Amino acid sequence: MLPLGGRNLRAGTLTPITPAMSAHARKRLYIKTYGCQMNVYDSERMADVLAPLGYGLTERPADADLVVLNTCHIREKATEKVYSELGQLKRLKEARAAAGGEMTIAVAGCVAQAEGEEIMRRQPAVDLVVGPQAYHQLPELIARTHRARGERLAADFAPQTKFDALSPERRPGGVAAFLTVQEGCDKFCTFCVVPYTRGAEWSRPAEAIEAEARALAARGVREVTLLGQNVNAYAGEGGLAGLIRRLARIEGLDRIRYTTSHPRDMDQALIAAHAEVPELMPYLHLPVQAGSDRVLKAMNRAHTAGGYLRLIETIRAHRPDIAISGDFIVGFPGEREADFEATLELVREVGYAQAFSFKYSRRPGTPAAALPGQVPEAVKEARLHRLQALLEEQQGAFNAAQAGRTLPVLFEKAGRRPGQLVGRSPYLQAVHAEAPDRLIGQIIAVRVESAAAHSLAGRLEAGLEIA
Ligand code: SAH
Ligand code: SF4
Ligand code: F3S
């Protein structure tokens, strides 16, 4: 899923993080990130903790002294990719050793947490394995592996320790940044590995988040996306709505987003914030997974299709232009044709601006893996196709509806063509326009002239800065 230029990254995709090789870097670090936005955030923080050891980023694994794979366990495919990547890295490591050099290979993230022992057994070239709550220990682990093999596994479940060890200072790569505010999940949807790989729900204290947000703003960040596997379950002071209002007061921070939310935790205070806080962008990623109550119950989603639709209606009553995004799973065990049609019906009723949809992937150890009525691959494939056709059509219609409107666009970087910049609309659409580089980091009025499936194109409205 990368219609959003790599920022709104989700399971199964990968982004290299932008190399910012410092002049003082003596050693080279290559990080490959799989999975969700929380892994993108974690990869940046890993680069931060390794910088004082002299590691600077490189884009080429062959040049790296240290390779980190930050992995995702959500679907089988995501996990298998890690093992095939490790096979290739092993060859690079051997080539380096033959030339008298050394390469350290670390596996981080959710596969590390879920199958650390197995990784080390299946691929002896791996020097160390570090879970999502333990990467602040990377410098120490690396020092240890350099001294001796052994003690290669760090996978505990204490996010607090990790955040206490991380500095609020960051070196963001752009004008929009991720900021993790909550970790873990207590929902136990029957298909999902996250409660096992990330542990229980835990929220960072609001002061620590504010300090990090201030540090980002001081370095030119104008948009933050607050992250959590269940971000709207944020349990710090004032809940997520309180946190958003607090961060909205920070000078220079003009846009706030959050992801991912669970329908169950969408409270009135958060809905009201969408009506009242201008910095809170009109975009909501609110996964529903399916439109059949029978399937939703088997998924342990704790909401019905009707409940979800009423919630969307309430949110739209507060913020009529809000763009709704979602996640869907087709072919959950026991899903019949009529159940699937209920999903299509729900999609038609909501009208999504954007969405992600997946074939159900059987994950060992999750309750749904043992359910009867596993759906044949060909049926899953056909349903996914039908669902995606509908979602694409809706996304196209949502984008087309912006033509002729003037939208505030936060320019983030150079566009594909020379002289062009690309930025984001409030609805998270990529917007291309001819604009000078000095407008990177500014929010500029752009008149939308045309819409494509995944982006918009427009021209600057009299070069006017509107925020
Ligand atoms: N906490 C978030 C994100 C979870 S993972 C949420 O609840 O929305 C992101 C998405 O991956 C999920 O929303 C779901 O649609 C999908 N997913 C999770 N487990 C899956 C599985 N076993 N097979 C297929 N898709 C899955
Ligand atoms: Fe997984 Fe459900 Fe938790 Fe989301 S809410 S992370 S889908 S268990
Ligand atoms: Fe994947 Fe872990 Fe995120 S399993 S989706 S990287 S929380």
Side-chain angles (χ1 to χ4, degrees):
M1 116 172 195
L2 273 188
L4 303 163
R7 280 195 43 243
N8 195 9
L9 180 81
R10 299 295 300 254
T13 55
L14 46 96
T15 353
I17 62 179
T18 329
M21 248 324 243
S22 103
H24 314 295
R26 284 169 284 119
K27 287 174 275 184
R28 276 172 292 213
L29 166 66
Y30 173 77
I31 306 187
K32 190 162 184 171
T33 309
Y34 302 81
C36 63
Q37 294 95 330
M38 305 205 54
N39 265 10
V40 176
Y41 175 87
D42 289 344
S43 289
E44 285 182 18
R45 304 307 328 251
M46 283 190 244
D48 287 347
V49 297
L50 291 167
L53 271 76
Y55 285 99
L57 287 164
T58 171
E59 260 176 351
R60 288 166 41 89
D63 295 341
D65 302 293
L66 171 62
V67 174
V68 178
L69 296 187
N70 194 11
T71 62
C72 173
H73 197 57
I74 201 85
R75 283 171 291 276
E76 195 178 347
K77 243 193 210 155
T79 307
E80 279 313 310
K81 270 189 204 155
V82 174
Y83 287 102
S84 74
E85 183 73 30
L86 284 174
Q88 292 175 29
L89 288 172
K90 175 176 181 270
R91 285 189 286 281
L92 290 180
K93 182 174 176 156
E94 284 166 355
R96 176 72 67 85
E102 209 182 326
M103 177 189 275
T104 303
I105 300 177
V107 180
C110 291
V111 182
Q113 186 68 43
E115 21 188 278
E117 303 279 354
E118 191 181 342
I119 294 170
M120 292 191 290
R121 196 170 40 73
R122 269 177 75 174
Q123 187 44 274
V126 171
D127 295 290
L128 61 113
V129 169
V130 56
Q133 307 308 352
Y135 63 74
H136 58 291
Q137 299 169 30
L138 263 175
E140 190 188 336
L141 285 165
I142 286 165
R144 270 196 229 154
T145 30
H146 284 173
R147 262 181 263 129
R149 293 220 151 214
E151 296 189 79
R152 290 152 72 205
L153 179 70
D156 60 25
F157 263 138
Q160 186 168 4
T161 321
K162 172 181 73 180
F163 283 112
D164 285 349
L166 293 171
S167 149
E169 281 305 317
R170 291 174 57 188
R171 285 160 300 118
V175 298
F178 289 138
L179 205 178
T180 293
V181 305
Q182 181 275 338
E183 293 226 28
C185 181
D186 298 337
K187 307 287 192 292
F188 291 92
C189 300
T190 54
F191 50 81
C192 185
V193 296
V194 172
Y196 313 99
T197 62
R198 294 273 176 166
E201 284 179 12
W202 180 80
S203 300
R204 289 177 73 185
E207 304 75 57
I209 297 166
E210 184 180 334
E212 194 171 320
R214 285 191 183 279
L216 287 169
R219 288 180 179 251
V221 167
R222 298 198 65 183
E223 173 177 312
V224 285
T225 301
L226 309 178
L227 298 181
Q229 270 90 11
N230 284 273
V231 72
N232 60 343
Y234 177 74
E237 199 192 317
L240 186 61
L243 181 67
I244 288 166
R245 288 177 191 270
R246 182 172 181 155
L247 300 181
R249 288 196 290 268
I250 297 176
E251 189 70 32
L253 212 56
D254 296 306
R255 289 181 162 193
I256 300 174
R257 305 180 185 276
Y258 59 93
T259 200
T260 293
S261 299
H262 192 289
R264 198 166 93 185
D265 297 316
M266 207 61 217
D267 63 16
Q268 198 51 47
L270 186 54
I271 297 173
H274 272 287
E276 294 162 11
V277 180
E279 290 82 0
L280 182 56
M281 291 292 101
Y283 182 95
L284 176 63
H285 184 68
L286 196 65
V288 65
Q289 312 298 353
S292 149
D293 287 345
R294 207 175 60 82
V295 171
L296 286 169
K297 189 153 187 270
M299 286 177 161
N300 190 31
R301 284 291 294 181
H303 58 76
T304 59
Y308 179 85
L309 290 170
R310 281 191 297 279
L311 182 57
I312 297 285
E313 205 175 305
T314 308
I315 296 163
R316 281 187 166 145
H318 286 77
R319 182 77 209 220
D321 67 332
I322 198 160
I324 304 290
S325 158
D327 289 348
F328 297 88
I329 294 178
V330 300
F332 184 81
E335 184 188 75
R336 303 183 197 123
E337 179 61 23
D339 296 311
F340 172 66
E341 301 217 342
T343 299
L344 295 178
E345 191 47 42
L346 178 140
V347 170
R348 281 186 208 104
E349 285 193 43
V350 172
Y352 285 90
Q354 195 270 334
F356 305 101
S357 44
F358 313 97
K359 288 183 281 184
Y360 168 71
S361 171
R362 200 171 176 174
R363 307 305 288 126
T366 59
L371 287 178
Q374 297 287 327
V375 176
E377 194 57 26
V379 175
K380 286 188 207 170
E381 192 71 50
R383 286 181 186 165
L384 186 66
H385 212 75
R386 285 165 66 197
L387 174 61
Q388 289 187 337
L390 176 60
L391 290 168
E392 282 279 316
E393 188 187 306
Q394 293 193 340
Q395 182 165 0
F398 182 82
N399 287 347
Q402 312 298 326
R405 286 186 67 190
T406 296
L407 297 176
V409 172
L410 171 59
F411 282 119
E412 293 183 8
K413 57 184 180 197
R416 245 171 277 132
R417 287 194 225 118
Q420 237 187 18
L421 295 183
V422 60
R424 299 269 163 196
S425 76
Y427 312 108
L428 206 59
Q429 296 146 304
V431 185
H432 301 264
E434 304 237 323
D437 284 356
R438 66 181 163 78
L439 295 187
I440 291 177
Q442 302 215 35
I443 298 171
I444 303 287
V446 174
R447 191 176 156 81
V448 179
E449 294 182 321
S450 64
H454 300 289
S455 66
L456 306 176
R459 72 171 58 237
L460 303 193
E461 190 106 305
L464 174 90
E465 200 189 354
I466 58 175

